[in-house]
Amino acid sequence: MPKKKTGARKKAEKQRIRQKLIKSSQNDKNIVDHPSNVIMECDFCERRQKNRAFCYFCSMMQKLPICAGCGKTKCMTKTGDCIIKHTGTNAVGWQMVGAICDFCEAWVCHSRRCVASHACECPLRDCECIECERGVCEQGGRFFRCGFCDQFLCEDDQFEHQASCQFLDSESYKCGSCNRLGQFSCLRCKLCFCDDHVRRRGVKPPKTNEPTPCPKCSHATKETKDLSMSTRSYKYGRQTNDDNERYFYYNNDTVDDERDASDDDESDDSD
């Protein structure tokens, strides 16, 4: 018979499972809810922006900094993880500051864990908008991820990109390796794959609840029937739908006609 579990062993197993869940939840946290990407309002110019150590518009330092790692604004004396000890008092404002992150440009508190691990776990480490190719230094707003291709988007281009993200680079919904209809679509590569070519040789198939990875970029694929995918189309001929352009060409034509008429009149007078 197996040995009966003691109370300490049961408690240790529950704690181990709980720690795994906490670590997985931190890795899967949405970028909008991360402390380094929260909304901040400047104390001087009163303009809303991403959490920063210095205001993006007036370059002023904030009175109440927010830690980019843990999100706290006040350090209590209960935890002994502080690099700078402050026994008997609570560290608020500049007393809590320990460093500035080079990637998200936000304050990091003087906790040993935040200072040592935030730079490696920063969600804005390789952040660059896929539309305008701007990073944290080039714009002051927050960053988001596209719900389809999972790419970084700035606050100015998030709605425009997601409205036009579900399209294919091909002219039909057929698989790129054969002539069959593509059942799975990769929204990052903009390609369709059939049921046979979506699985690569030597790669372990995913579980039933996990999505099938793309054979080209390993991004999670989705079924084409669940998406409103559109194919690539061509518009031949010159499209002159702009009224300003028509007005410009019309005025140029009238000016040229008037010049020609004036030249003819001058030539007649000289004769």
Side-chain angles (χ1 to χ4, degrees):
M1 292 181 64
K3 293 183 180 180
K4 188 177 181 180
K5 293 183 180 179
T6 59
R9 185 178 177 184
K10 291 180 181 178
K11 186 177 180 180
E13 290 180 354
K14 288 182 180 180
Q15 187 176 4
R16 195 180 301 113
I17 294 171
R18 180 62 180 165
Q19 288 177 355
K20 288 182 178 180
L21 291 175
I22 291 173
K23 290 181 180 179
S24 62
S25 64
Q26 288 179 354
N27 295 331
D28 298 338
K29 184 183 290 186
N30 194 0
I31 190 175
V32 181
D33 301 330
H34 202 273
S36 61
N37 200 34
V38 296
I39 298 175
M40 182 196 74
E41 186 174 351
C42 181
D43 300 329
F44 299 92
C45 64
E46 297 182 355
R47 301 186 69 174
R48 301 180 68 182
Q49 56 193 291
K50 188 190 78 65
N51 181 23
R52 291 177 182 272
F54 303 92
C55 178
Y56 181 78
F57 303 99
C58 63
S59 302
M60 296 296 292
M61 293 182 289
Q62 306 305 307
K63 297 178 181 178
L64 194 64
I66 303 174
C67 178
C70 56
K72 64 183 179 181
T73 58
K74 182 178 182 180
C75 184
M76 311 294 286
T77 59
K78 295 180 181 179
T79 59
D81 193 27
C82 301
I83 298 176
I84 302 172
K85 302 298 181 182
H86 48 92
T87 56
T89 58
N90 297 331
V92 184
W94 297 106
Q95 299 176 356
M96 190 197 68
V97 169
I100 298 178
C101 181
D102 294 333
F103 304 108
C104 61
E105 296 184 354
W107 291 113
V108 180
C109 67
H110 60 213
S111 172
R112 196 180 302 275
R113 183 184 65 83
C114 292
V115 172
S117 63
H118 171 72
C120 301
E121 299 174 355
C122 184
L124 304 179
R125 186 180 180 89
D126 300 324
C127 185
E128 189 180 64
C129 180
I130 191 174
E131 290 288 336
C132 59
E133 297 182 356
R134 292 186 300 174
V136 179
C137 304
E138 287 83 12
Q139 62 99 26
R142 295 193 299 167
F143 278 89
F144 304 88
R145 280 190 177 273
C146 179
F148 304 108
C149 62
D150 200 30
Q151 297 282 5
F152 283 108
L153 293 171
C154 66
E155 201 165 357
D156 300 330
D157 300 326
Q158 57 163 332
F159 297 111
E160 183 179 357
H161 171 81
Q162 294 191 65
S164 60
C165 185
Q166 299 186 65
F167 73 95
L168 297 174
D169 285 340
S170 59
E171 300 178 5
S172 62
Y173 296 98
K174 294 181 180 180
C175 176
S177 301
C178 60
N179 204 23
R180 296 170 60 186
L181 188 65
Q183 300 178 4
F184 298 91
S185 298
C186 177
L187 290 166
R188 183 171 291 182
C189 299
K190 311 298 182 185
L191 297 173
C192 277
F193 301 96
C194 63
D195 196 11
D196 295 335
H197 292 98
V198 75
R199 296 178 177 84
R200 293 179 294 177
R201 293 182 179 179
V203 178
K204 187 177 180 180
K207 298 180 181 179
T208 54
N209 298 329
E210 296 180 358
T212 307
C214 174
K216 186 175 181 181
C217 65
S218 300
H219 181 63
T221 58
K222 296 181 180 180
E223 293 191 12
T224 310
K225 63 181 182 181
D226 297 337
L227 304 170
S228 56
M229 301 291 291
S230 58
T231 57
R232 184 174 56 186
S233 59
Y234 299 96
K235 293 181 180 180
Y236 298 99
R238 183 176 180 181
Q239 307 294 326
T240 57
N241 296 326
D242 193 0
D243 295 335
N244 296 328
E245 188 177 358
R246 289 181 180 179
Y247 181 74
F248 175 75
Y249 286 119
Y250 175 75
N251 286 344
N252 284 350
D253 293 339
T254 54
V255 169
D256 293 339
D257 294 339
E258 290 176 359
R259 287 179 179 175
D260 295 339
S262 62
D263 293 340
D264 293 340
D265 295 339
E266 290 178 358
S267 61
D268 294 338
D269 293 341
S270 62
D271 295 340

